[in-house]
Amino acid sequence: MGLILYKNEPYLDWSDLANVEAMRAALHEVSSHLGESYPLVIGGKRVETEDEIVSVNPANPSQVVGRVAAASEREADMALETATKAFESWSRTVPEARARVLLRAAAIMRRRKFEMLAWEVHEGGKPWAEADAQFAEAIDFLEYYAREMLRLKDGVEIYSVPGEESRYFYQPMGVGVIIAPWNFPTAILTGMSSAAIVAGNTIILKPSEFTSVLGAKTMEIFEEAGAPEGIVNFLPGYGSEIGDHLVKDARTRFISFTGSMKTGLRINELAASQIENQRWVKRVITEMGGKDAMIIDDSADLDAAAADIVASAYGYAGQKCSAASRAILHSDVHDEVLQKVVEKARALKIGVPESPDVNMGPVISEPQFEKVMSYIRLGKNEGERLLGDDPGDPERGYFVPPTLFEVKPDARVAREEIFGPVLSVIEARDFDDALRIANDNPYGLTGGVYSKNRDHLELARHELNAGNVYFNRKITGALVGVQPFGGFGMSGTDSKAGGPDYLPLHMLAKTVVERF
Ligand code: NAP
């Protein structure tokens, strides 16, 4: 199968008026489809449900983006049954044909790019550039995993002893339950799903309740790309209602989850107990939260550091697992960096992301708004608030202004994942102290160091406890194939999405030895 070399999908240039016009047209077109209904898709058939998820625009909660069917345990069973049957043929379909489905899906995503970005603006509350970056990542996952499957399709080289031939190759696992979060509603959903199916598995695809319409749109793309019926089964629903059922079922072979630590650990626990008729140890791939730190030492370029702290902390309103939620500043540069960060954060434009010049939109939902606000109330007691006004009425949009607290390292706002535009600034005596503070947390997802001191960078290269470490740049925006992504500690199983070790997590490796 001849394929051009992999390269990342370029981001749109918003200084090009043609792109701005295309985006405006897409927003207009999509707005005429708001409020439509989307059924489940099981074995290629549309299935209506009694219950429904009403998905709203977080920048304007009175606007219904779509009504999405909400599966119950009954439909979850149908999906498990269908995926189990479909596995028989899909697992025997040649890897090239499976890869072609991904490549076609990538082409369709490119064609539907502006439309999909417009849905993201409406349902995810994403500013244009953020929407574009996460959609480019979805395309990258498809292109990258298609190539990865072709690289791995005949197995990998091992040694043989004289008189024998040893072979080592991969085979599909079975039915996978794919459970996605809302913050990268097409990228993570597409990445987890495409890796699972290209490896020959069949899946049940459960999007987040808050971005179920984007889930339905992604499902449309898989169907248009020619994924045979029953390979991808679209099962939106409330995690609290169908999650346990899907995870516990004996037909489930593996669970690929991205979301909070709390849910991830529950899934891990439930998946570990064997139930009647279960014939395998379930595999759990779980990528969870973070409390990511940026260390700024006394040799750093302070302007660049401050700009990247602001970008990492407040991009998509801090709702990235990779977001900087702690800035650990060397005492010699503490005041200067702090002042620059506050200045730059004040310049951010907050508003409804339908406008092209908005830097920061709302948080995703009312529960998220309430959670972030409760941490802001806590932070006021734990330290000094140096940035952040009181928010407006959440009924008019879940907007939380960029907020910054100066706190001690043991403050809860500096230790727990808030998942909103709240940055904790901590002063460190020296670089070793900064490294110690950064590592003194159960999470270990991303982390960064701003420094011109080679010794400091080399120390952090090995000692900073994070799956993704960045030097002298922002700590968000991982690129598929370039910055494989996954966390240490309580941030997850370090699956490294978008990297060379990811696909084998979805397959069984088999050793076959023949004596001549
Ligand atoms: P969440 O509340 O844990 O939900 C994630 C998914 O799990 C949703 O689809 C949710 O469904 C489902 N779910 C809820 N309860 C479940 C249960 N008992 N069994 C099975 N599934 C269940 O997380 P979130 O708020 O969507 O996402 C934000 C979190 O994701 C943050 O902690 C963030 O750091 C993390 N995240 C991590 C990464 C990474 O790569 N490490 C990337 C992105 C996000 P409902 O929507 O219906 O509740």
Side-chain angles (χ1 to χ4, degrees):
M1 200 173 165
L3 277 178
I4 54 166
L5 266 181
Y6 170 79
K7 66 176 175 45
N8 295 107
E9 177 72 7
Y11 296 154
L12 290 166
D13 174 3
W14 295 112
S15 67
D16 181 345
L17 252 154
N19 287 335
V20 175
E21 297 288 310
M23 186 67 190
R24 286 213 170 102
L27 282 165
H28 181 70
E29 170 60 22
V30 160
S31 66
S32 64
H33 293 282
L34 296 179
E36 288 178 1
S37 297
Y38 303 86
L40 314 178
V41 184
I42 301 176
K45 298 193 177 47
R46 270 65 193 147
V47 178
E48 306 287 346
T49 56
E50 276 170 29
D51 207 358
E52 69 175 9
I53 294 167
V54 179
S55 180
V56 301
N57 181 345
N60 173 14
S62 60
Q63 184 180 60
V64 174
V65 176
R67 297 175 183 278
V68 183
S72 66
E73 291 186 4
R74 197 172 74 89
E75 288 88 19
D77 277 331
M78 280 167 65
L80 283 161
E81 202 50 42
T82 305
T84 304
K85 281 211 187 80
F87 180 70
E88 286 169 25
S89 55
W90 184 243
S91 57
R92 292 179 173 85
T93 302
V94 292
E96 287 83 352
R98 303 195 307 244
R100 270 187 205 105
V101 172
L102 270 57
L103 296 170
R104 277 197 298 267
I108 296 164
M109 281 196 177
R110 282 192 193 95
R111 200 175 70 226
R112 292 180 60 176
K113 188 179 269 191
F114 287 102
E115 176 212 334
M116 291 296 283
L117 299 195
W119 281 109
E120 272 186 54
V121 169
H122 283 300
E123 196 181 37
K126 290 219 177 212
W128 295 14
E130 297 279 352
D132 179 39
Q134 87 89 32
F135 198 61
E137 193 181 356
I139 296 173
D140 285 348
F141 277 131
L142 292 164
E143 294 280 354
Y144 182 76
Y145 292 144
R147 285 165 178 76
E148 278 295 283
M149 193 60 234
L150 298 178
R151 176 175 74 82
L152 296 169
K153 70 184 170 59
D154 298 320
V156 294
E157 287 295 318
I158 50 167
Y159 295 106
S160 297
V161 296
E164 285 185 355
E165 185 208 30
S166 294
R167 295 295 316 279
Y168 185 82
F169 56 91
Y170 298 103
Q171 63 183 46
M173 293 182 83
V175 175
V177 175
I178 310 293
I179 305 176
W182 44 264
N183 66 333
F184 288 85
T186 36
I188 292 179
L189 190 78
T190 303
M192 293 197 297
S193 307
S194 59
I197 63 169
V198 81
N201 306 295
T202 54
I203 61 168
I204 292 163
L205 179 53
K206 198 209 98 52
S208 162
E209 63 185 90
F210 301 109
T211 48
S212 301
V213 172
L214 282 161
K217 295 286 159 195
T218 309
M219 180 65 198
E220 275 174 26
I221 291 172
F222 276 125
E223 288 189 294
E224 201 183 332
E229 290 174 0
I231 307 308
V232 182
N233 299 283
F234 180 57
L235 199 81
Y238 295 102
S240 52
E241 286 174 18
I242 53 169
D244 289 1
H245 188 73
L246 288 167
V247 169
K248 281 200 261 178
D249 196 278
R251 289 164 290 191
T252 296
R253 180 63 186 84
F254 68 100
I255 299 114
S256 179
F257 167 82
T258 307
S260 64
M261 178 175 75
K262 186 169 168 239
T263 313
L265 293 180
R266 177 177 178 82
I267 289 173
N268 201 38
E269 191 180 337
L270 285 183
S273 17
Q274 187 193 3
I275 63 159
E276 211 186 324
N277 297 326
Q278 185 178 319
R279 306 186 64 166
W280 40 64
V281 179
K282 288 175 191 166
R283 194 174 286 177
V284 177
I285 305 164
T286 172
E287 291 305 318
M288 313 189 293
K291 192 69 191 176
D292 310 312
M294 285 178 80
I295 297 174
I296 315 301
D297 86 358
D298 52 345
S299 68
D301 174 339
L302 303 187
D303 279 314
D308 280 335
I309 290 174
V310 170
S312 305
Y314 301 118
Y316 191 40
Q319 301 173 109
K320 298 180 187 177
C321 52
S322 53
S325 49
R326 293 183 292 160
I328 305 173
L329 313 179
H330 188 293
S331 55
D332 288 353
V333 295
H334 171 272
D335 294 356
E336 195 178 340
V337 176
L338 191 52
Q339 185 204 339
K340 287 177 193 290
V341 168
V342 169
E343 245 167 52
K344 288 177 197 296
R346 280 216 174 98
L348 293 173
K349 184 167 178 209
I350 326 294
V352 176
E354 272 164 67
S355 305
D357 54 343
V358 161
N359 306 114
M360 210 182 98
V363 300
I364 190 72
S365 62
E366 196 182 357
Q368 195 61 25
F369 177 86
E370 291 304 336
K371 179 181 167 199
V372 176
M373 290 313 300
S374 74
Y375 273 105
I376 290 179
R377 285 191 290 277
L378 177 69
K380 286 187 200 164
N381 296 327
E382 290 188 316
E384 194 180 349
R385 183 166 72 163
L386 300 176
L387 177 75
D389 309 314
D390 290 332
D393 177 1
E395 282 183 19
R396 303 182 61 191
Y398 308 124
F399 294 96
V400 180
T403 301
L404 186 152
F405 290 108
E406 195 176 14
V407 287
K408 297 279 177 228
D410 59 354
R412 276 182 58 203
V413 288
R415 299 194 61 78
E416 297 171 15
E417 188 185 49
I418 301 172
F419 222 55
V422 183
L423 175 68
S424 292
V425 173
I426 302 161
E427 183 168 343
R429 282 191 308 276
D430 51 28
F431 188 73
D432 286 344
D433 189 37
L435 205 51
R436 185 193 56 74
I437 295 168
N439 285 342
D440 182 22
N441 194 275
Y443 291 112
L445 190 44
T446 69
V449 176
Y450 247 97
S451 173
K452 289 183 191 144
N453 181 324
R454 179 51 43 194
D455 291 341
H456 287 174
L457 295 178
E458 291 309 322
L459 186 65
R461 183 182 296 274
H462 300 288
E463 299 299 327
L464 184 52
N465 185 34
N468 286 64
V469 170
Y470 297 93
F471 294 155
N472 296 317
R473 50 152 284 163
K474 67 186 174 114
I475 64 170
T476 53
L479 277 180
V480 174
V482 180
Q483 300 159 23
F485 193 81
F488 292 176
M490 298 308 265
S491 289
T493 49
D494 191 34
S495 62
K496 288 293 184 282
D501 298 324
Y502 193 68
L503 230 50
L505 298 174
H506 303 75
M507 298 188 280
L508 298 172
K510 190 163 188 175
T511 304
V512 177
V513 182
E514 179 174 354
R515 181 157 290 181
F516 298 130

